[in-house]
Amino acid sequence: MSKASACPAPTKPNLNWHLMHHSEAEHDLRHLIVDISRACKYISYSIQTTEAGLAGTKNEFGEDQLALDVLADKEIREFLCESGLVCCYISEEQPDIVELNPDGEYSVVFDPLDGSSLVDANFAIGSIFGIYKGGDVIGATPREQVAALYVLYGPRTLLVYSVGDGKGVHEFILNDVGEFVLLRDYLGIGDVAKNYSPGNLRAITTNDGYKKAVDTWLGEEKTLRYSGCMVADIHHILSKGQGVFTNVGGGADSKYPDGKLRHVFECGPFAFLAEEAGGAATDGTTAILDKKITAVDQRTPLIIGSKNDVESVSSLVA
Ligand code: AHM
Ligand code: MG
């Protein structure tokens, strides 16, 4: 007679259970991801309860920091410290690599609150994370990430993570008792985009290839989906199972010669998730996952989403 397990699979798997039993993440990596998710619960609460205003300080790029940017950065730092698992981190809100526990085996790269200028308009915003083993993120490539995740603070708070290696990309929802529970597993990105999401659109005045790409999308009558928060815009692709998101440069004399987005903590984590979901991410010539990280503030063009469209836009803008 076979024995009945005393611990059957839960009807609603939570993040910790999923990391343990589905993704079979190493003990410490699982704890680190859960600790990051705990920080994001506080951020989610702060967004709902804190009045959005300027903190009166500037980040390393000279941009005004919002009170919520600073708060989110602090909340994440506290949980990374508490975990004891992190030797250093790179944050959009910090000018340099921040050293934490010298014995910590992981590095974390993050944008604490992406799209925070949209807070007053009550648009969706998000947090982005990439996790590396060891302390040498500069000189590494994003393919060396051992996990990537983001949290989207919209009408609902969602968390999407992957540990790569064919284990898939999975979506969780923050429920009323403060638990991230599985909403959809194995998010996938099909090869053909019906939706397009054109960031740094000002670049079409000087980047002919980008203009051609946008004209093509218009001619094909694709559907525009652009909110101004890459977390929301790329989540749209993962959620609908297709789409293409771009943020490319406008040439040497333009405001953003290499596009607006940062390689290490914005593009790298999303490239990891997109490839795992069956999509692609490139700067036009090199896969984002294979592009070396040279500096904390390195920017890169990004074309991400459905493979066929990523390829056709790349051939125009490369
Ligand atoms: P942020 O990290 O300062 O919020 O900037 C990044 C954001 C992305 O989320 C978004 O895709 C992009 O900036 C929008 O830029 P633009 O308004 O120029 O299209
Ligand atoms: Mg950002």
Side-chain angles (χ1 to χ4, degrees):
M1 208 166 75
S2 64
K3 273 194 216 157
S5 166
C7 299
T11 42
K12 280 193 184 290
N14 63 37
L15 179 62
N16 185 53
W17 187 93
H18 198 268
L19 280 159
M20 197 183 320
H21 295 283
H22 171 81
S23 295
E24 295 170 328
E26 285 177 18
H27 176 275
D28 286 356
L29 180 61
R30 172 168 62 86
H31 278 271
L32 177 55
I33 293 173
V34 168
D35 282 337
I36 289 171
S37 78
R38 290 169 65 208
C40 293
K41 293 176 197 176
Y42 279 83
I43 296 170
S44 180
Y45 179 74
S46 299
I47 292 166
Q48 287 165 33
T49 55
T50 309
E51 286 177 44
L54 293 177
T57 50
K58 290 191 186 292
N59 70 10
E60 64 167 307
F61 307 103
E63 299 159 342
D64 288 325
Q65 287 181 308
L66 288 160
L68 275 169
D69 285 316
V70 178
L71 204 61
D73 191 50
K74 193 169 150 275
E75 279 164 344
I76 295 165
R77 183 197 173 104
E78 283 177 10
F79 279 90
L80 296 186
C81 283
E82 187 193 308
S83 80
L85 297 165
V86 177
C87 56
C88 59
Y89 71 83
I90 296 174
S91 162
E92 177 173 324
E93 299 303 328
Q94 302 295 334
D96 295 307
I97 299 173
V98 180
E99 311 277 347
L100 292 182
N101 176 6
D103 297 326
E105 55 179 320
Y106 293 101
S107 302
V108 182
V109 300
F110 57 92
D111 183 349
L113 212 50
D114 182 67
S116 56
S117 67
L118 300 169
V119 168
D120 55 358
N122 208 14
F123 276 28
I125 54 176
S127 303
I128 311 165
F129 301 88
I131 301 175
Y132 291 80
K133 208 141 196 194
D136 299 320
V137 174
I138 306 297
T141 63
R143 202 174 288 286
E144 292 170 54
Q145 289 170 108
V146 292
L149 63 147
Y150 63 83
V151 174
L152 176 63
Y153 314 100
R156 312 193 281 183
T157 296
L158 302 175
L159 180 151
V160 173
Y161 91 93
S162 181
V163 296
D165 285 338
K167 291 279 169 63
V169 178
H170 311 286
E171 180 190 42
F172 294 74
I173 183 166
L174 185 59
N175 71 12
D176 285 345
V177 293
E179 192 82 66
F180 279 107
V181 291
L182 186 64
L183 189 60
R184 286 184 289 185
D185 55 6
Y186 291 102
L187 301 183
I189 301 176
D191 291 346
V192 180
K194 289 188 276 187
N195 299 324
Y196 68 105
S197 197
N200 197 29
L201 197 52
R202 59 181 76 76
I204 64 168
T205 56
T206 49
N207 182 334
D208 292 343
Y210 197 23
K211 171 134 184 24
K212 277 190 197 135
V214 173
D215 287 341
T216 306
W217 290 329
L218 289 168
E220 289 171 348
E221 299 187 14
K222 287 195 199 299
T223 301
L224 174 69
R225 286 290 178 266
Y226 190 75
S227 74
C229 168
M230 77 180 296
V231 180
D233 291 327
I234 300 180
H235 180 70
H236 190 275
I237 296 174
L238 281 156
S239 179
K240 302 293 182 188
Q242 53 74 26
V244 58
F245 172 97
T246 49
N247 194 304
V248 301
D253 297 329
S254 66
K255 185 171 179 192
Y256 298 116
D258 289 319
K260 184 180 174 189
L261 303 175
R262 285 77 171 202
H263 185 37
V264 61
F265 44 72
E266 291 179 322
C267 300
F270 274 115
F272 186 88
L273 292 163
E275 280 207 11
E276 182 65 22
T282 172
D283 67 358
T285 50
T286 305
I288 294 293
L289 290 185
D290 296 321
K291 184 167 176 163
K292 206 179 220 189
I293 297 166
T294 56
V296 167
D297 58 353
Q298 178 186 4
R299 295 187 197 253
T300 178
L302 174 67
I303 305 158
I304 186 168
S306 295
K307 269 182 186 162
N308 293 1
D309 296 75
V310 168
E311 215 170 276
S312 55
V313 176
S314 299
S315 66
L316 291 171
V317 303

